[in-house]
Every structure is written in structure tokens, then in C-alpha cells.
Amino acid sequence: MLRTALRNVLAHKARLLMTTLAVLLGVAFVSGTLVFTNTISAAYQKSSEKGFSGVDVAITPDSDSDDDTGKPGAAPRLGQRVLDRAAEVPGAASATGTVSGYTALSKKNGDLLGSGFSNLGGNYYPGKDGKDPRYTMTDGRAPKARGEVALDAKSAERGDYAVGDTIRVSVDGPVREEKVVGVFRTDDGNVAAGGSLALFDTPTAQRLFAKPGEFDEIDLKAAAGTSQTELKAAVEKVLPKEAEAETGQQLADDQAEQIKQSMSGMQTGMLVFAGIALFVGIFIIANTFTMLVAQRTRELALMRAVGATRRQVTRSVLIEATFVGAIAAVTGLAAGVGIGAGLRSLLNSTGATVPDGPLVIDLTTVLVSLAVGVVVTVLAAWLPGRRAAKIPPVAAMNSVHAPPTTRGLVVRNTIGAILAAAGVALVVAGAGMGSDGKGYMGLGAAVLVIGVFVLTPLLSRPLIAAAAPLLRVFGMPGKLARQNAVRNPRRTAATASALMVGLTLITGMTVIAGSVQKGIDKMATDALKSDYVVSMGGFDGQRPLSPDVARKIAALPEVTASSPLRNSPSRIDGDIEYLTGVNGKSITDLVSMDFSAGSFAGLSGGKAVVDDKTAEDHGWKLGSTIPVTYEDGRRGNLTVQGVYTGNEMIRGIMLDSRTLTAHMPTVTDMQVMVKTKGGASESTKDALKKALGENPAIQVQNKQDISDGIAKFFTLMLNMLYGLLAMAVIVAVLGVINTLAMSVFERSQEIGMLRAIGLDRRGIKRMVRLESLVISLFGGVLGLGLGVFFGWAAGELISSGMPTYQLVLPWGRMAIFLLLAAFVGVLAALWPARRAAKLNMLAAIKAE
């Protein structure tokens, strides 16, 4: 049986090629994902280890320690006294105090220098030798006084800065002019990833990021002969209770774990799409082995007649599948290594520089790739092999084994209907449960897709019959194409299902993205009456602004109303709640909220407005008194004067900023809302930017800018999904080609007869192409229908957290997807149609 299986693999090399390619693509995606994410993780881990090479013990504030002051949200820091005591600990060779914070650097053309999410500033802390072991100066000197700054070498190169130049810097809004006095080299992973790092002298950095004499962290270097563990034990004896110590090795391990976790999301997402490609490939594999087994029915029957058991017949088919899967897995693994290297190069070309490091191909990647390729192929081939073994030898040798009986189809359709109904019920139930229905919806979606796949043979006849009027235009080839498409419903179903899965996901994602964007547009239009929102730029846009920004904006003649949004932590009912300070006199001109009770009018003193969900959680209503402990530890009472419907842009507890500011040790704003004369215009925006010093760190956005900014994120995600799902579509194309090619081989005698009675080569080609087109459009229609249904259901979940969410059906894109399905059909039919037209008429008629 082993020799027979090997002979069959070698005898059907061309027929098994498409199956091999389908498995190869899926395995390549899996192995490429693992190689890429492992390589990036290892590179960052190596870079982070370098960053901790000069740290044997680090002292940091204990964020979990009790706050004796009772001040909510108080962030403990380390003072000079802690640094001095740590430096005197036996076994400590040196102690370095560090402080850091957001620092935006400007290019010479005014743009932001760096990637935006890792624009940092820190302090240069010289030791006894006048050098900071963390940084090596390659040009110039370290900053020593206010107005001086040193840049990392990569940022200096990207910004074309040299020692002696002046650079514009922004920490919290206002622009500072700093002189570049030095350029240094660093192993900081953020810089390696495209960020920027600026160094100030320690007093300046403390004034900018902390308080005079305070540090974020204290790093100790062990003396010769002292281990990290010994130094940590000695340090812990002199630490105050609000501080804690960790070894440098532990910090490096923790950061490595964080990097691993941050990469796991990307890895999981990419593996999901690899799984989708493999899932689509299963249909191709099952189709291929079903047709191969059908063509070898007499051969298998003869083997049964000479003594082979059912188990041996099934096993021979599985051995073939194992060889095919192994070849595809090995080839896919090699291709995956290339994909991993290509993805890293692509990432570097986008400007997101990755630290240098070798490609990481670990044993897990190899084993997973081989296992996936072999297991998927064997599982897909098991059912055709089992079905072949059940055919009675005498019936098979006499070609009287009939296609699936009516009873078999009834059982299949019944199972499919039950699964589809259960899937629809679960999805609808999940849609009605809000955010708690994710699990039900995910399970329902999987069950529904399986149910539709099982029902596809039943659905194929009426849907393909609907295309009959169009096919009549093509005469006899069109009629024959329709009959061929419904002749073997199982094969048609398996072929169409491969395309259905890919289009279901693409359509569903497009519906969700378009609907969310519509909801965001409506939210911005309904909630904001202001013309502009001014905030710090960067990755999250949540950096604090200096109050000077709001004062400068309010003084402009173009501005008719403005209000800073000022956040401060407080303790209410034992929990930390953030209070938002607004200008009580002008807030009604800047936002438009739906109040279920009360209003913004007269917002001052101890009055506050709260969003409906916060009010419901605490049991508050109009007139309720809220006991509150402010950030500075003082206590007071707030009276609810209004309850409004919150959204993702505006929610929480709001009170007059003059009341809140009195309790803020450090006053900062999150953003400033601005209303101007004549509304939003480019000239007004330019005036605002000019008043703020053409600051690259500050963004001035109108309502459309806010909406477009969020849309960019969804557009980027959607384009990435399209790229990943293209893999599934490519596999589906291979499936259609495979099915048609083997169908042509199976119908050689029939095609010869058609040629003999007058159908020319052009007619044969047209017949095969139309058959492929019909099957592809059938899969496309199913995919669009399921995609719209899943998009609607997912939208019901989203709408529970976004009241402005509106279902939008992207008719234009859906039409493009249907045309894509048609293109897939035409493309897939090129080779099989040409092969069918080239068949020798007499040889084909004599074929069995």
C-alpha cells in the first residue's frame, strides 16, 4: 500500500500541484508570521538588554504603597536624600538619578522629528568622572545649563542638526529655543524604533518633567565582587517605604516580557489570517482528493477485490496526503523565512526602524509549520478516502456506484439547516446583548459559516439557475456552462465556498469600518460646536498642555469663545474618578450635549454635570450631593446640576475650571476648545498656529480633521486586512483553477463528443469560462450576503458603546467585490479552458 501511494503521488504530480500550492501559501504565512514576530521581539529584547547593561539595581517609586497624604492620584517620586543614601550603600560603585518626559523636537522645516509615539527627553547625570555611563558623546559635550540640549545621533542625522545649531523644542506646548551642544550614541530601543531622545542638564530636566530635586528612578552600578542580588539586599535596608528596588536583570526580563506581549497581538492577528488561508485551502484539498479518488474508483475497487481492506484503502489515500502535505510544508517553511525577512525590510522602509539582529528561526516555528502543513492536508483528505473505501468493489468495477443518494443529500441539507439556524440565532442573540455578546456572536459566526458551507450544494441550484437568462445570451456554451455548474453540487459548493470565506470577511470588515466612520462623523458634528480643538500631537494626542496655550488662544481677536479641558484625579466613594474642568461661561458655545436633566447653564462654584452612565453607576440624579477628595487632599462637595448623554469624545464629571484649578498642584490642560469669528477656515487655522509659534508638537484640528484622524486609523487597519485577506483570495483562485482543470480531465470524453457534433474550440473555451464565472459569482454572492449580516451584527455590539453608530452599506465597494469575484472566475478559467480546447477530439472520445 505504501508503494501504491507513492506511485499515485508521482503519477498525479500536475493534479496535486494546486493542492500543494494552497497548503504552501498557508504554511508560508504561518511560518513567515512566526519568523517575523520572533525576529522583531529578539531584536528589541537584545536592544533593551543593552540599555540595562549599566544598571545592576534600579530604585523606583512603589506605585502600590499607601499614600499617607490621602491625596488621590498622587505620584510618589524619589528625592535627593534617597539618591545620596543609595550611593553610600556598601557594594555600590555609582548612583545615577534619572528623570524623563515627553519632548517634541522640530525639524528645520517645522515638522515633528521622530515617530511621534516615542519623543522623549531626559537628563544627563554626570558621575565623578564627568560622564554619564548611559550615553556616549560622539560630538560636542553634555548639556550643563539651561538652554542647552544634546541629541541622539540618529535624530541629529534625520533632522540634519550639528553641534552649534539651534533647535525648537516643546515639552508641554510653548516652543523653546535650545542650543545643540552635543550628539550622543544610545542603545535605547525607542530611538532604534524611530523615536527621538533629547538630554538636558539635571536641574532643567527636573524642572520640565518633575520637581526640583526629584527623580523618576535611581540606577545603581555594583562594585567589583558584588552581585546584583547582594546589592539589592543592601539597598532595601535603606529605602523608604514608598520606594522599591529591582535588579537590572529582572528589569531586562520584565521589559523582554512586555515586548513579547506587545508582539503577541500582532502575531495572533496575522496567524488568524493564516488560519483563514488554510481553512480556505481545506476546500481545495478535499476537492482535489475527492476527484482523484473518483477517477481511481476502479483501481481502488480492484485493490479491494485482491484483498485490500477498507482501512488499507483509506490509509493509502492518507499516505498520499501526508507526502503532499510534507512537501508543501517544507517548501512553505522556506518561503515563510523569506516572507519574514521581507516583512522586516518593509517595516524598515516605512521609517519604523527595527534594531539590527539576525533572523530568528526557532525549533517551534519549524515544528509548527511542518505540523500545520501535514495535519491540514491529511484531515482534508480523510473524508474522500473514507468515502472511497465504502464503495462495494463489484459496483465500483462495473461503474454502477451512483452519486450521493437523495437520502444522503436530505441528511446533509437537514444538518446544514440546523447549523445555519443555530448560527443565526446565536449571532442575533449576541447582537442584542451589547458588549457581553461577543462570545455568542463569535461562536454563532463560526457555526453559521459551517452551516452555509454544508447547505451550499442545495443553494447552488436556485442561485445558479437565476443566472440562466444571462447565460442564454451566449447560446449553447452558456446553457452547457449552467448545466455543468449544477451537475456536481458538492464540487461546485466546495469551490465556491473557498471564495465565499474570503469575501465574507472582506465585506464584513468594510461594512464595520464604513459604519464606524459614519458614527464618528456624526459624533463630531453633534457633540462639538467649537470650530477647533487644540491639543498636543504624538501617538495618543493625550499629552498635557501648558495653560499658556489656552491664554494665548483666548487673547486672539479671531477667537469668540474658548475653554481648556483640565483633568484632575479625585476620590469619590472610595474610587479614583477624574474631574474635568471647563470654562463654565463659554462651554455652552463649544459643545452640544443632550441633557436628560438640568443643563450647563450657571456652571460655577461647587456645581457639576455628569454623564448618564457615571450617574447611574453611583446612583446620582439632579440635585445629588457628591462628597469629593480633590487632588491636593482637601475635601468638598459637588452638587449635580445636570445629567447628559456621554460619548467617546465627551463624558465624565465636569465642573468650572476655576473651582478645579484651586486644587491642582500642577495645572495642565488636555486640550483647548476654540470658537472663532466666521467659523473654521484655513486662514483662521494658520492664525492659531502662528500664535502658538508654529509648534510641531501642537495640533490644531477642526471637526473634519478629528474625524479624518480617526478615519486614517481605520483606513490603515482596513488596508492591512485587505492585504492579509488577499492570501485567502489567492488560495481561492487556485481552488477554482484546480476544480476546473480536474473537471476538464474528468469530462474529456464529453468534450470530445461536443467537438464531434459541432461545438468549436472557441465554444469549448467559452463554456469552461462561463462555468468558472458562474461558480465564482455564486461564491461572491454568498460572501457578500454573509459579510453584510456579520457587519450588521457586529455593528449592534459597537452601537452599545457608540450611540451615533449608523449602519452603512458600501454599495460601491460591494460592487467592486462582486466584480473581483467575476475576475477571479475569468482568470481561473484561462488555463483549464485552453486545455479543454486543445483536447484531441478522437482521443477524448476514446478516453474512459
Side-chain angles (χ1 to χ4, degrees), residues 30-288:
V30 171
S31 58
T33 296
L34 294 175
V35 169
F36 172 68
T37 52
N38 289 341
T39 297
I40 300 300
S41 296
Y44 278 116
Q45 183 174 341
K46 183 179 179 181
S47 179
S48 68
E49 288 174 353
K50 287 182 180 178
F52 288 111
S53 60
V55 179
D56 289 315
V57 172
I59 302 173
T60 56
D62 185 1
S63 57
D64 296 328
S65 63
D66 294 333
D67 186 9
D68 294 337
T69 65
K71 299 177 184 179
R77 292 185 185 272
L78 305 171
Q80 185 67 41
R81 184 164 174 259
V82 177
L83 175 62
D84 293 339
R85 294 177 65 182
E88 295 173 357
V89 168
S94 64
T96 303
T98 68
V99 61
S100 63
Y102 178 74
T103 301
L105 304 176
S106 174
K107 293 182 180 178
K108 291 183 177 179
N109 63 2
D111 294 338
L112 183 66
L113 178 62
S115 58
F117 68 89
S118 58
N119 302 117
L120 298 176
N123 67 312
Y124 189 89
Y125 193 92
K128 295 178 181 179
D129 58 355
K131 298 180 180 179
D132 189 328
R134 298 172 297 169
Y135 311 109
T136 302
M137 288 292 164
T138 58
D139 193 15
R141 60 173 176 82
K144 297 180 179 179
R146 186 173 184 173
E148 296 180 346
V149 66
L151 305 180
D152 71 88
K154 291 188 177 181
S155 295
E157 181 181 355
R158 286 194 292 264
D160 193 26
Y161 284 109
V163 172
D165 290 344
T166 299
I167 186 170
R168 300 167 73 245
V169 179
S170 178
V171 172
D172 58 358
V175 177
R176 304 161 54 90
E177 298 281 345
E178 307 281 356
K179 182 180 180 181
V180 179
V181 297
V183 176
F184 62 90
R185 186 174 64 249
T186 177
D187 292 322
D188 191 303
N190 290 319
V191 173
S196 63
L197 178 62
L199 296 181
F200 305 89
D201 65 287
T202 297
T204 300
Q206 288 175 326
R207 186 174 62 255
L208 292 174
F209 308 127
K211 288 183 179 180
E214 293 188 345
F215 301 96
D216 295 328
E217 183 177 312
I218 296 172
D219 296 332
L220 300 179
K221 183 69 176 175
T226 303
S227 68
Q228 291 187 355
T229 305
E230 291 171 343
L231 182 58
K232 177 187 174 185
V235 167
E236 287 176 337
K237 295 177 181 179
V238 301
L239 286 184
K241 66 178 182 179
E242 66 270 14
E244 60 182 355
E246 290 288 348
T247 64
Q249 184 60 51
Q250 183 61 49
L251 291 173
D253 292 343
D254 291 344
Q255 185 163 343
E257 183 61 29
Q258 291 176 4
I259 293 170
K260 184 178 179 180
Q261 290 178 0
S262 65
M263 295 299 297
S264 66
M266 178 191 295
Q267 186 181 73
T268 301
M270 294 177 71
L271 287 176
V272 165
F273 290 101
I276 292 169
L278 286 168
F279 179 66
V280 173
I282 287 175
F283 297 119
I284 301 174
I285 300 164
N287 236 5
T288 301

Side-chain angles (χ1 to χ4, degrees), residues 419-420 422-427 438-449 790:
L419 289 174
V424 170
L426 285 169
V427 170
K438 295 178 183 177
Y440 287 95
M441 185 171 292
L443 177 62
V447 172
L448 177 56
V449 169
F790 290 144

Side-chain angles (χ1 to χ4, degrees), residues 18 495 499 729-742 744 765 768-773 775-776 820-835:
M18 294 300 173
T495 306
L499 195 58
V729 174
I730 291 172
V731 175
V733 171
L734 293 175
V736 178
I737 296 173
N738 200 29
T739 299
L740 289 174
M742 300 193 76
V744 167
K765 286 183 179 180
V768 176
R769 288 171 184 166
L770 289 174
E771 179 184 351
S772 175
L773 182 64
I775 293 174
S776 296
L820 174 65
F823 175 73
V824 166
V826 173
L827 179 66
L830 290 178
W831 179 62
R834 187 178 178 185
R835 185 169 182 266

Side-chain angles (χ1 to χ4, degrees), residues 4 53 127 241 306 420 707 772 782 842:
T4 301
S53 60
K241 66 178 182 179
V306 297
S707 180
S772 175
L782 288 180
L842 295 178

